[in-house]
Amino acid sequence: SGADGVSYVSTANLDGETNLKIKSAAAVVQSTLCVDCDGGGVRTDETPLLNRAVERLSALRATVEAEAPTESIHAFNGALVLESTPGGAGDAKRYPLCADQVLLRGTQLKNTAWSLGVVVYTGRETRMAKNSSKTPMKLANLERVVNRAMLIVLG
């Protein structure tokens, strides 16, 4: 988001850490969507940055290749395959993606006005869902004793 492509994320729901983590846009995407200079550093466009990024995003042709869903919240291996860029040639180029470019389900954007992205995993394939486990049944000690006694009496 913004001209620098940096977002701040709270991961307290995932790992309990309250410090904000820095996530950054892939450099090629950031430069394609948000740079407003003509090559010589002269500003050529007065359109607000978010509007310009959304407009350029609609002209972008790309594919995201991602690893199979895993439980790890600290690692990600993938690639962005740009088929064409606005005003660019049609040669497909591959750019690596890592955990710094991924916002996981359960994280919260902080101190960040906006962010554009692509959904990679949904439903049970999200890392938060893969790390969740069934809640153990909570019983008082007295209930356990009564349950065992009932099994003995009825069994």
Side-chain angles (χ1 to χ4, degrees), residues 62-85:
T63 304
V64 174
E65 296 174 354
E67 64 187 352
T70 65
E71 294 177 359
S72 173
I73 62 171
H74 300 291
F76 177 81
N77 290 313
L80 176 70
V81 180
L82 280 180
E83 297 165 15
S84 67
T85 58

Side-chain angles (χ1 to χ4, degrees), residues 49-71:
L49 187 58
L50 176 58
N51 294 350
R52 184 174 51 251
V54 169
E55 183 180 302
R56 290 179 181 176
L57 182 64
S58 67
L60 192 67
R61 299 292 168 244
T63 304
V64 174
E65 296 174 354
E67 64 187 352
T70 65
E71 294 177 359

Side-chain angles (χ1 to χ4, degrees), residues 1 6-13 17-23 103 106-115:
S1 85
V6 174
S7 296
Y8 299 92
V9 178
S10 169
T11 60
N13 291 342
E17 292 183 23
T18 57
N19 293 338
L20 295 181
K21 312 248 182 335
I22 297 174
K23 300 291 185 167
L103 300 177
T107 59
Q108 295 178 338
L109 282 175
K110 300 284 187 177
N111 305 330
T112 304
W114 55 271
S115 182

Side-chain angles (χ1 to χ4, degrees), residues 68-71 105 120-130:
T70 65
E71 294 177 359
R105 175 182 172 188
V120 179
Y121 305 113
T122 62
R124 293 186 180 139
E125 293 183 340
T126 63
R127 292 175 188 218
M128 187 174 191
K130 287 201 161 285

